[in-house]
Amino acid sequence: MPKQKIRNMEEFAAVSGISRPTLSKYFNNPDSVRKSTRERIEIALDEHDYRPNVYAMNQNRQTTRNIGIILPYLADPFFNEIGRAVEVTCIEAGYSPILLSSHGKPELEAENLDSLRSLKPAGVLLAPFGRGSDRKAIEKIGRDVPLVLFDANISDTGEAFIGTDNFQSVGLIVEYLCRSGEPPCFFEMETPSNPNAFKRRQAYQESMAQHGYTAHIFQAQGEGWDFEEIGLTEGGAMLRKSIFPTNTILCSNDRLAIGMLAAAYNLGLKVGHGKGCSLRIAGHDDHPFSRFTCPSLTTVAQDYAAIAERAASTLFRIIETSEAPATRLETLFEGKLVMRDSA
């Protein structure tokens, strides 16, 4: 039997047996009710699949113009750039951005979300860890304020997700590498920090199959955010052992590729597509430093300016109309091939 559609809080109070004032206290601040009551409410929410129109409720009490922005690792120049773009977009729209970094620690992401709740932001823009994220913490703030995810997706969470079409972007660079030389091997971390890495691996496998080539995947030990060091040490060890069956290596991200370039230099291997070159290396993201490597890195550019603008404008529209979308929105931007000297 289909669940009864609960249209408002009065109906939810009737079916759950919890008073309307108690529910109002919970939805304003879950910690304001006793733990046992909070658990009863959350069980009833799951059972009846009810979600109140928190945005309409916010119109009845004073709200801020603060926008919470949480990034996984602000020391990464890619996230630094996209964070700056989001900040500027918020400021230009008349909002006050509160930018927080989780410093590569999923538990700090949950703490940042909890800290934002106490500030009662108008909405939150989150670039999550993905599989490492505390989903309950994300869903908790999503019950209070509009929530838009960007860069990394967590299915069925928040009102919208904005990111890059990894299947298009990886397919683009695989096609180029196959067309311009030997087909690429794929170099990645064994335990990647970002869920985009899994999609890129799958995209590589599918694209290689489409072009009639065997996929060769090589995984480096290590986890965390020291991508360049992992590319240098683990990638360097693989290069010394000559385990790659072709002379072309596609790295899961540019930071791994930058480390691999350094490893090749240390081994006296000339990287590029010109005369005397024995190795081609490519990456993904168009990291801010990728055009300054030697040789400059061939990669796929993510349109982080467009991602930042669309994520912010989607959030503003939800805040200002007090209406969540009928279905979760998902916008994927295509990557752009950037051909440089490394491949």
Side-chain angles (χ1 to χ4, degrees), residues 61 138 152 172 305:
R61 66 176 187 260
I138 296 173
L172 187 66

Side-chain angles (χ1 to χ4, degrees), residues 78-79 82 127 149-153 161-164 194 196 302 307:
F78 172 79
F79 286 114
I82 200 168
L149 274 57
F150 65 101
D151 181 63
N153 196 9
F161 167 69
I162 317 296
T164 295
N194 191 297
N196 287 323
Q302 295 194 66
I307 292 171

